[in-house]
Amino acid sequence: MTDFSFEQMPAKQPAPKVLLIDADASRHGGLGRRLRRRGVGFHAASTALQGMALARSIRPDVLVLGEALADAEGFELLRSIRRDRAFDAVPVLMLSARADAAAPTLALRAGANDILAPSIDAGELVERIQAHVRMAQAQRAATWGACEQLRTEERRLLAREVHDRLGQLLTAANIDIRLLERRAGEGKELPSREELLRELRAALSSIEQAIASVQDLSLLLRPPDLGAGGLVAALRWQAGEFQRRFALRCSVRHAEAGYVEPTCLVAAELFRICQEALTNVLRHAGATDIQVQLAVRGRNLVLRVCDNGVGLPRGVADAPTAIGIAGMRERAAGIHASLQIRGRPGRGTILAVRRELRLP
């Protein structure tokens, strides 16, 4: 169940904030006056170090990097911004007068959203900034709406899980025990020792399955805060909990090369897909070792869950009864990712989720 905190969106959006990092102090005053007249909060810094400190303090809606930062220092600042999850959705505009054709491409690859000439008219610059502010606000609103929709759907699925699986198991155990109680209370002849043990074992089996269901649900109800340590930390927490509860080896391998932390929504969905995959392994695979892998392969972020179990039989993944797999596919589709499952008889199963890095 998705249990991350998303506060209700305010009815009126606060004034957007723009941070200009530019060594040319003359640009600070003119741009600041124009933006403030249009209801935009304006802040300025003269160096990359000051700019990053101020950005962490005020949390700007748009960052503008001045012409003096258009070369190596600017690109390194861009990369630092994009590595910081606090700014992963903040548009960055770069003022650059470099004549070579490769400069815009390099800036975009480094993380810039727009490249502007320093000679751009101040009025047009204000319009461009405001356009990016509106797009950023719309993106945040859409993300919030999607998360609220996911929370509603997760509550519905959790209610069904409790009612259908946990409720049925406890009801079956209750019936078995009640029948024995009634026979004893009515003075009827008690069943033989063998019959009594059989009925008690059936009741105990239902109770043990119910306990396993409660453990599964507890993993769903106690997710880590993805904002605190990111997706890698969340997956490691999940693997540790899984290993502790079910005495199965479960590890996480993370290749750091090229890795960029995904947005909160994407990270939450990848986390839930992994969680469902682990639950499926526990229920059906008979595995003793599970490995979760997170890495960048080419242009894709790839999450894999590999086990050494019996291997998923051909056709099972596409069967109408494979509700858990269908749910994982829906989650993957919701973040524009692909999901593939490959079973190897007697050699385990590999589940792989791939998502293009350049997607929002």
Side-chain angles (χ1 to χ4, degrees), residues 31-63:
L31 182 59
R33 284 191 296 272
R34 286 176 174 269
L35 287 171
R36 292 188 184 103
R37 281 200 298 267
R38 300 195 183 199
V40 177
F42 178 77
H43 306 266
S46 298
T47 68
L49 186 61
Q50 293 172 354
M52 286 299 291
L54 187 56
R56 292 191 178 96
S57 173
I58 67 171
R59 303 287 177 169
D61 295 281
V62 172
L63 276 162

Side-chain angles (χ1 to χ4, degrees), residues 44-98:
S46 298
T47 68
L49 186 61
Q50 293 172 354
M52 286 299 291
L54 187 56
R56 292 191 178 96
S57 173
I58 67 171
R59 303 287 177 169
D61 295 281
V62 172
L63 276 162
V64 182
L65 306 185
E67 183 181 5
L69 295 172
D71 293 316
E73 185 182 3
F75 290 145
E76 183 53 39
L77 177 57
L78 268 173
R79 296 185 187 100
S80 298
I81 291 169
R82 289 309 179 216
R83 284 194 296 266
D84 193 324
R85 294 190 69 250
F87 308 119
D88 56 7
V90 177
V92 179
L93 284 60
M94 176 173 272
L95 302 177
S96 176
R98 288 179 60 176

Side-chain angles (χ1 to χ4, degrees), residues 334-345:
I335 57 173
H336 308 288
S338 65
L339 185 144
Q340 295 178 324
I341 302 176
R342 181 164 59 92
R344 303 168 297 174

Side-chain angles (χ1 to χ4, degrees), residues 150-224:
L150 284 171
R151 290 181 67 185
T152 301
E153 178 66 13
E154 291 289 357
R155 291 190 187 103
R156 185 183 68 80
L157 292 173
L158 178 60
R160 187 177 68 186
E161 184 79 359
V162 171
H163 178 272
D164 292 352
R165 186 152 63 100
L166 186 57
Q168 289 174 5
L169 289 169
L170 292 176
T171 299
N174 182 63
I175 291 173
D176 290 334
I177 295 171
R178 288 292 184 188
L179 286 174
L180 288 174
E181 180 188 42
R182 183 179 300 173
R183 293 177 67 174
E186 292 176 351
K188 294 182 179 180
E189 183 180 353
L190 290 175
S192 66
R193 183 174 180 274
E194 289 74 16
E195 290 177 314
L196 182 61
L197 284 173
R198 186 167 56 249
E199 293 187 27
L200 285 175
R201 283 167 181 159
L204 284 172
S205 176
S206 296
I207 293 172
E208 287 170 355
Q209 291 181 60
I211 291 172
S213 295
V214 170
Q215 291 174 329
D216 290 349
L217 292 173
S218 69
L219 283 175
L220 292 173
L221 289 167
R222 291 181 55 228

